[in-house]
Amino acid sequence: MTSPEERDLRVLQLYEQLLEIEQRLIPTGLHVFGRPSQAGERADMLKMIASFARPEAGTRGLPELVAEGLGLVCDQRPAGLSPASLSNATEVEIRNRERVDEIVSEAIRQFDSSGIDAAVSALEQNANVPADESRPVFTLLEKISKQLETNSEIDALMRALRGEYIEPGPGADIVQNPAILPTGRNTHAINPYAVPSALAFARAENVAQKLLERYLAEHNRYPRSMALVLWGLDNIKTQGEGVAQALWLLGVRPVSDALNRVTRIEPIPLEQLRRPRIDVVMTVSGIFRDLFSPTVQLLDKAVRLVAQLDEPDELNYVRAHVMEQVRDENCDPDEAMTRVFSNAPGNYGTNVNFMVMDSQWEREETLGDLFVTRKCFAYGRDSKGRTIEGVEARTAMDRALARVEATYQNIDTFEIGITDVDHYFEYLGGISKAVEKRARNRPAIYLSDTLSNDAKIRSLAETVRLETRAKTLNPKWYEGMLKHGFRGVAEIEGHVSNTFGWSATADAVDDWVYTEVAKTFVLDEAMLKRLRALNPHSAHALVGRLLEAQGRGYWDAQPEVLDQLREIISSLEDQLEGVA
Ligand code: BEZ
Ligand code: MG
């Protein structure tokens, strides 16, 4: 029997989950080259941009200003409350957050329809926000809004094709760095010696801490070893947040040399760290390897430094593992300290995505083995100071992965999530499957979402559910896609196949996901008619993927649903043959 308090608490938790889905910013269509963003989309974007403090522009986040003006303290739930008082506190907090959100939305509407003065006075009246605090925010929004209204991508492309000069612009996520506007410029990357930036290192502390707290809460101890995926573009966008998270887990900080280049590492003393140093296996993408060569060296240096600190085993898992491997397996210390892996020089990707997409596999473990075959090349510098530049090190990788208890990747943009592209499951899914066989245990799989100031850690299964609700099954998302006709249907099918990728690599997809996908896109007659008129190839692939999910044991479908799907796929085959 659950008590009324527990019931109330559960209802409020559900309510929080609903809010999370409702408030999640999603792309509502594809970017059309040369076309400025539409009005509704622009308002959503501006609201999101205004929710962050922007120290570089001297502005604060609107939700923070509104909460302060109303005298509310949002998002600070005291620990250790009884369910009854917790549910009270949660209810108050939810109501406060909704109120803040409504006031911010109204101010953005005013800004959109009547300009800065109207928005400033709306906030003053509704939430006592001083004009001198809100005006700089709207001045910034006005500049961004103008840039969003125009688009010179086609003109820039034509100029580029004529060999003319194209102005440079930073590569980043629009919400994180609006300076990427206007688009249609020559995207420049980053100075790898500036990575991680001081801001990235500061932000990463909170994420690494929350990640470890989550594992601790679920397993009653810290993970002794974790496997991380690091991508190049992500670390460009965030100036190295992923890199900084790896350094925090190891318990070290980057130090700049006399030329202000981050080339050194120093340990954070254990008294300050107040937790063990986690062993970290890093697989970096081919793009990361190419763009961040000094950073690859920095990460390798960090592992070697930590392995050689004179500290107790229970507070330094890297040292404990290296010593144990050298002692018990008579292993060369250089091999025992290898933790940074990537593709062979000149190679990119894991190919796990291609194997899944083409259904070219029988046993799941093949997917993990393929990941290791592609990614088992070591990078760094050995103890004699010789550069290791993509030396095949399968045994070292197998051994390092055999200890891994949790795998992890950071997500830093709202534009691309774990079901939008096949790269998340090829990397995070691929490595998790490789760990499962080598450690003889499925690792805990986590993603962080550093889109907002308040970074969130979610398990893979939670993230799949959230993405499914917020995107794949959300009419706002799929109708946005369907406006693009042929390509839109391909995007929907892509989401379903990428979701399937999480079944294949991590069994992280609930049955209801496939059931609802079938109901929404295939068993709904009107919808199926639209899909097959717009793009029968993708409609066929989508139904085929659902049948594959059932066939491989990832979906316990009802027999009558299966019969319907089989009938539909054969009629799609007839249609395609007719088309061909
Ligand atoms: C990268 O930026 O490293 C990356 C981009 C796309 C797929 C995989 C990796
Ligand atoms: Mg299942």
Side-chain angles (χ1 to χ4, degrees):
M1 273 291 282
T2 43
S3 66
E5 288 82 11
E6 282 165 344
R7 182 204 55 201
D8 286 355
L9 186 59
R10 186 76 196 110
V11 170
L12 285 164
Q13 283 168 344
L14 276 174
Y15 186 65
E16 277 202 318
Q17 280 180 12
L18 284 177
L19 271 189
E20 182 177 40
I21 296 167
E22 186 191 333
Q23 291 178 356
R24 196 162 172 88
L25 196 59
I26 55 163
T28 49
L30 301 167
H31 175 65
V32 177
F33 192 76
R35 198 174 78 187
S37 51
Q38 317 276 297
E41 193 182 276
R42 208 162 53 230
D44 280 351
M45 195 90 85
L46 293 176
K47 185 176 160 201
M48 188 75 173
I49 290 170
S51 70
F52 283 83
R54 303 204 172 266
E56 73 286 358
T59 62
R60 292 173 63 196
L62 286 186
E64 188 192 336
L65 287 172
V66 169
E68 197 175 283
L70 295 173
L72 306 174
V73 186
C74 288
D75 238 344
Q76 286 186 5
R77 200 172 309 165
L81 292 179
S82 69
S85 52
L86 180 60
S87 86
N88 258 341
T90 313
E91 198 176 334
V92 170
E93 188 196 307
I94 288 174
R95 263 197 266 114
N96 287 347
R97 248 194 285 163
E98 279 189 329
R99 202 168 145 210
V100 168
D101 190 63
E102 270 163 30
I103 293 173
V104 171
S105 297
E106 174 55 25
I108 298 285
R109 271 195 296 276
Q110 286 289 338
F111 167 76
D112 214 27
S113 61
S114 319
I116 296 184
D117 289 338
V120 168
S121 63
L123 281 187
E124 210 162 20
Q125 275 166 26
N126 296 339
N128 317 310
V129 177
D132 59 345
E133 291 265 28
S134 66
R135 190 170 291 278
V137 181
F138 290 109
T139 308
L140 178 70
L141 290 190
E142 186 169 54
K143 185 171 156 218
I144 295 170
S145 179
K146 285 222 170 77
Q147 287 172 327
L148 283 169
E149 277 165 34
T150 55
N151 185 308
S152 53
E153 288 165 355
I154 289 179
D155 177 50
L157 176 66
M158 296 311 286
R159 283 193 288 123
L161 290 174
R162 286 196 297 267
E164 291 175 24
Y165 175 74
I166 306 296
E167 303 74 19
D173 179 85
I174 182 171
V175 177
Q176 291 205 8
N177 183 6
I180 65 154
L181 296 171
T183 55
R185 288 185 296 166
N186 192 0
T187 306
H188 63 73
I190 199 163
N191 168 10
Y193 285 107
V195 163
S197 69
L199 180 64
F201 192 67
R203 277 172 63 94
E205 179 180 11
N206 175 33
V207 181
Q209 190 62 31
K210 281 189 172 164
L211 183 59
L212 292 177
E213 277 166 15
R214 170 88 194 235
Y215 188 93
L216 188 62
E218 288 173 353
H219 300 85
N220 291 317
R221 61 173 178 80
Y222 288 109
R224 279 185 278 264
S225 179
M226 295 187 60
L228 269 52
V229 173
L230 295 172
W231 284 355
L233 300 179
D234 291 23
N235 280 282
I236 291 174
K237 281 185 282 184
T238 60
Q239 308 212 343
E241 267 182 37
V243 171
Q245 289 161 4
L247 298 180
W248 272 109
L249 292 169
L250 288 163
V252 297
R253 68 165 64 90
V255 182
S256 299
D257 64 14
L259 297 173
N260 203 24
R261 302 177 317 164
V262 180
T263 49
R264 293 196 300 116
I265 286 293
E266 76 183 18
I268 298 166
L270 285 172
E271 310 83 75
Q272 210 177 317
L273 201 60
R274 292 165 53 194
R275 58 159 172 86
R277 301 184 195 280
I278 313 299
D279 194 350
V280 179
V281 186
M282 291 156 276
T283 37
V284 313
S285 68
I287 298 181
F288 185 107
R289 171 205 57 202
D290 295 352
L291 295 175
F292 287 104
S293 176
T295 319
V296 166
Q297 293 298 332
L298 191 80
L299 292 167
D300 175 66
K301 202 184 265 185
V303 173
R304 287 167 187 274
L305 174 85
V306 171
Q308 290 169 62
L309 293 172
D310 185 11
E311 290 172 342
D313 282 3
E314 68 278 11
L315 290 173
N316 183 333
Y317 299 145
V318 184
R319 178 187 167 83
H321 293 152
V322 170
M323 300 277 274
E324 183 188 63
Q325 197 176 339
V326 169
R327 190 183 57 228
D328 297 353
E329 298 166 32
N330 201 17
C331 178
D332 174 355
D334 272 325
E335 181 175 324
M337 284 189 279
T338 305
R339 294 290 183 279
V340 186
F341 299 92
S342 188
N343 296 85
N347 277 337
Y348 301 85
T350 72
N351 292 356
V352 170
N353 46 341
F354 302 131
M355 198 180 247
V356 170
M357 289 302 168
D358 296 342
S359 307
Q360 293 295 324
W361 56 284
E362 280 175 22
R363 288 146 56 100
E364 289 173 348
E365 66 173 53
T366 314
L367 303 172
D369 292 343
L370 177 61
F371 181 92
V372 174
T373 301
R374 295 283 300 170
K375 286 280 169 189
C376 67
F377 296 82
Y379 288 81
R381 200 179 288 278
D382 71 12
S383 44
K384 296 199 178 69
R386 291 175 301 207
T387 310
I388 306 165
E389 189 89 43
V391 175
E392 185 165 3
R394 185 181 260 276
T395 316
M397 190 176 196
D398 281 340
R399 189 67 191 87
L401 292 181
R403 296 187 199 99
V404 167
E405 296 176 316
T407 58
Y408 163 72
Q409 186 165 1
N410 184 46
I411 297 190
D412 53 44
T413 171
F414 79 90
E415 286 183 307
I416 300 174
I418 65 163
T419 55
D420 288 295
V421 291
D422 54 6
H423 299 305
Y424 283 105
F425 82 73
E426 69 156 321
Y427 273 86
L428 185 63
I431 198 166
S432 301
K433 192 46 85 182
V435 167
E436 186 178 329
K437 175 172 164 186
R438 286 152 187 79
R440 297 201 180 86
N441 216 346
R442 184 170 291 164
I445 312 175
Y446 300 113
L447 291 126
S448 62
D449 172 337
T450 57
L451 315 189
S452 67
N453 286 332
D454 174 37
K456 284 214 170 70
I457 305 292
R458 295 191 185 89
S459 70
L460 172 62
E462 286 165 357
T463 314
V464 171
R465 283 181 209 123
L466 179 59
E467 286 275 303
T468 302
R469 290 279 184 219
K471 287 186 186 152
T472 319
L473 295 175
N474 179 353
K476 192 173 166 187
W477 180 84
Y478 63 71
E479 288 298 344
M481 289 298 154
L482 287 173
K483 286 198 196 110
H484 297 277
F486 186 91
R487 182 66 226 162
V489 186
E491 285 290 323
I492 294 170
E493 184 274 316
H495 270 249
V496 176
S497 286
N498 294 331
T499 304
F500 172 87
W502 291 115
S503 282
T505 56
D507 196 17
V509 186
D510 301 333
D511 279 294
W512 66 260
V513 171
Y514 294 113
T515 304
E516 292 300 316
V517 164
K519 274 194 202 155
T520 308
F521 299 110
V522 190
L523 305 179
D524 179 314
E525 252 176 69
M527 178 58 84
L528 180 65
K529 205 167 153 199
R530 286 170 74 192
L531 299 189
R532 54 196 299 178
L534 291 169
N535 182 344
H537 303 278
S538 293
H540 177 263
L542 191 156
V543 183
R545 197 65 75 188
L546 286 173
L547 288 168
E548 185 181 1
Q550 188 276 332
R552 291 191 189 266
Y554 302 135
W555 178 30
D556 188 11
Q558 306 235 311
E560 53 280 16
V561 169
L562 273 180
D563 288 344
Q564 271 176 288
L565 293 183
R566 291 199 187 105
E567 220 169 275
I568 289 168
I569 202 161
S570 95
S571 102
L572 276 160
E573 270 152 23
D574 293 345
Q575 181 183 348
L576 287 172
E577 273 163 30
V579 166

